[in-house]
Amino acid sequence: MRSVCLLLLSWLLVGTAPPLPDALKPYVHEGRFDPGDYGWMRGRFEDARPADKEATAAISAWLDACFMTDMAETRAELRAMGIADPKLERGAFRDLLCAQVASAPYPIDLHSFSKFEQAVSTGRPVAESYLAATRAAEQAGGAKGPSLRDALLARPLREQMLRLGLGWGEGDMQNVPPLPSDTRAVVVSRFAVALAETDRSNTQWLKKIIADRGWPKASEIGQDGAREAWLLVQHADADPAFQLKALRLMQPLLATGDVSKRNYAYLHDRVMLKLIGKQRYATQVTCENGKRIPLPLEDPEHLDRLRAEVGLEPLPTYMDQIRESAGECPRSVPAD
């Protein structure tokens, strides 16, 4: 364990990405990660051998170093854009491989790896069938023509299906066959691995579009195309600097109607929560003690006016809409 900690410290000091741990190498092929049989997770279980626990410690240290490296690079980019002290309290991995490994199944029963293997055996074909369906839908729903609007309307299809799958058994996915908790964790984990790659691919694609022509205007690609461009940048959470750039490009287009005020408000809150730890329009919420509440606000006294200015409904109505679509908040379990 001491050697792992020393390696972590050395990576952080030099500011370079750490090398891939040996335990993960069999699961990475040509830079692509496949969770496989989850053998790289053996060290998390109570019946793990010392060697397995050491391998798991190395993976944890690698993820920590990867995250710190990612945050350092992101903060440097944001400072260059004039953000003196970016909080990044809700930061995500920007490195694809690290993000995918961090999508390990959770929560699971950690008593026995052999029992977990049964969940993997059951969940893997379920996940692979759904993933095959997302790929087929992506191919069938490809761009219907050569225009940017056509491309934008088609682009989010797979990521939307994957996000829907993350809610297996809940909300819009409540009618799918129920799965035991460990099996569901495996299924959702495999969706998250695929989603990390899809989101980053979409981000790189949209970056090129913006570099070539600026933010896509609704007057040029239609309100529906503009909405899909916003959706892609809304989900570019691994690249906060790009999200901030997009937000700044969108702002002057509000006056002409080339950008939806509601879409701008959602992106503004998503970005500012990362950068300053507060949001303006209360679009981002969380559950606390069984009740859904907004994440921290920059100006709660004038919230009603601010929401009205961008065409958002009153906050109580918004909360009711979320409850109808996502269900009630889970109740917290009292301490013993």
Side-chain angles (χ1 to χ4, degrees):
M1 183 66 70
R2 182 174 180 272
S3 61
V4 170
C5 293
L6 289 174
L7 280 174
L8 170 60
L9 179 60
S10 67
W11 294 328
L12 295 180
L13 288 175
V14 299
T16 58
L20 186 69
D22 289 341
L24 288 176
K25 289 179 180 177
Y27 300 89
V28 179
H29 306 281
E30 297 181 355
R32 300 174 70 91
F33 176 68
D34 181 348
D37 60 2
Y38 291 94
W40 50 278
M41 286 180 55
R42 285 180 183 273
R44 300 189 184 190
F45 292 81
E46 293 177 6
D47 59 354
R49 300 171 302 174
D52 294 327
K53 293 182 179 180
E54 184 70 18
T56 290
I59 292 173
S60 295
W62 173 75
L63 284 172
D64 288 342
C66 186
F67 184 79
M68 296 295 287
T69 301
D70 284 356
M71 289 302 99
E73 292 175 355
T74 299
R75 285 193 172 93
E77 290 179 358
L78 290 168
R79 290 190 183 105
M81 298 175 71
I83 307 298
D85 182 27
K87 304 300 182 186
L88 294 181
E89 294 174 354
R90 305 177 69 205
F93 286 98
R94 59 191 284 161
D95 182 272
L96 172 59
L97 192 56
C98 294
Q100 291 178 317
V101 174
S103 300
Y106 177 87
I108 54 173
D109 180 357
L110 294 174
H111 290 295
S112 167
F113 182 74
S114 61
K115 183 179 178 181
F116 175 66
E117 285 182 305
Q118 297 174 16
V120 173
S121 177
T122 303
R124 191 170 177 175
V126 174
E128 289 177 350
S129 295
Y130 189 86
L131 291 172
T134 67
R135 290 189 291 269
E138 184 178 39
Q139 292 177 355
K144 304 305 180 185
S147 72
L148 176 58
R149 176 179 174 274
D150 292 325
L152 282 167
L153 292 179
R155 192 83 190 183
L157 178 58
R158 188 167 192 240
E159 64 101 338
Q160 287 292 283
M161 290 184 66
L162 290 169
R163 280 189 162 80
L164 187 66
L166 295 180
W168 191 279
E170 304 170 353
D172 293 335
M173 291 286 283
Q174 61 184 327
N175 294 323
V176 298
L179 297 172
S181 58
D182 280 11
T183 303
R184 180 188 184 279
V186 170
V187 169
V188 170
S189 167
R190 299 182 92 87
F191 294 166
V193 168
L195 182 60
E197 183 174 13
T198 302
D199 279 344
R200 283 157 182 77
S201 173
N202 287 341
T203 296
Q204 293 306 311
W205 179 83
L206 187 60
K207 272 186 170 183
K208 186 177 186 308
I209 298 298
I210 290 177
D212 291 343
R213 56 178 295 163
W215 184 259
K217 298 177 181 178
S219 59
E220 299 173 352
I221 60 170
Q223 292 291 347
D224 52 357
R227 183 191 181 281
E228 300 310 309
W230 162 79
L231 185 65
L232 294 181
V233 77
Q234 183 84 344
H235 292 155
D237 291 309
D239 197 337
F242 172 59
Q243 288 181 313
L244 178 61
K245 178 179 180 179
L247 188 70
R248 290 175 173 177
L249 290 172
M250 291 169 70
Q251 197 279 331
L253 300 177
L254 292 171
T256 63
D258 276 313
V259 164
S260 160
K261 291 181 179 180
R262 289 178 64 96
N263 289 353
Y264 176 83
Y266 275 86
L267 183 60
H268 184 282
D269 282 359
R270 199 174 185 105
V271 173
M272 290 302 134
L273 276 169
K274 297 174 191 175
L275 302 190
I276 67 173
K278 294 183 179 181
Q279 60 176 332
R280 178 175 297 169
Y281 303 105
T283 64
Q284 308 294 299
V285 303
T286 188
C287 287
E288 188 174 290
N289 297 323
K291 183 179 179 181
R292 194 167 274 110
I293 61 172
L295 288 163
L297 301 168
E298 66 177 50
D299 188 4
E301 183 178 350
H302 299 105
L303 178 61
D304 290 342
R305 174 178 60 80
L306 291 169
R307 287 182 64 88
E309 287 176 352
V310 291
L312 293 172
E313 56 281 294
L315 186 61
T317 303
Y318 180 59
M319 292 299 189
D320 288 343
Q321 292 172 352
I322 296 178
R323 184 172 61 252
E324 289 175 7
S325 63
E328 299 287 347
C329 284
R331 294 284 177 181
S332 58
V333 179
D336 293 334

